[in-house]
Amino acid sequence: MLGRLNHVAIAVPDIEVASAVYRDTLGAVVSDPLPQPDHGVTTVFIELPNTKIELLEPLGEDSPIAGFLAKNPTGGMHHVCYEVTDIMEARDKLVAAGARVLGTGEPKIGAHGKRVLFLHPKDFCGTLTELEEA
Ligand code: CO
């Protein structure tokens, strides 16, 4: 079912500081911050040869990463995202196997303009897991 690792997302309290760490200390190519009000985050994408890192900073009052940052005030790994070829087929198989899909259970349009779903971390080794239709 799983294809490529699309990205690893890291939640951070200050995306400018985090961008500088990746750009200046680690020497990575870092995008400009992009506010995504529909998702309650500002994102920065870091392109690596084999995958991406997505930095996430809370945006607005009810950011979905606010609780995570309250528990991890200096930031931390928030989720991994795997590509799937057919997101509805993947969802139906996982639900049939007892996995929980977060939210309404229907895919949303994610940060890259593709359909995404999030799976409950308790069903996937304690890791919030995103599926993105490739
Ligand atoms: Co993501």
Side-chain angles (χ1 to χ4, degrees), residues 15-96:
I15 207 160
E16 295 291 348
V17 170
S19 294
V21 168
Y22 271 86
R23 186 181 54 239
D24 303 333
T25 309
L26 295 170
V29 177
V30 171
S31 78
D32 289 331
L34 181 65
Q36 310 222 17
D38 288 355
H39 296 282
V41 292
T42 298
T43 54
V44 159
F45 298 108
I46 300 163
E47 293 285 343
L48 303 180
N50 61 344
T51 190
K52 294 188 278 283
I53 301 294
E54 184 178 279
L55 302 177
L56 304 173
E57 180 188 66
L59 176 65
E61 293 298 301
D62 324 302
S63 173
I65 64 169
F68 180 89
L69 278 169
K71 282 183 239 153
N72 303 277
T74 59
M77 207 205 78
H78 185 260
H79 65 267
V80 294
C81 176
Y82 301 114
E83 295 178 1
V84 294
T85 49
D86 183 332
I87 201 162
M88 300 310 286
E89 186 187 323
R91 179 199 63 181
D92 292 347
K93 268 190 195 159
L94 291 166
V95 168

Side-chain angles (χ1 to χ4, degrees), residues 7 9 54 79 81 112 118 130:
H7 61 271
E54 184 178 279
H79 65 267
C81 176
H112 311 114
F118 283 92
E130 180 179 14

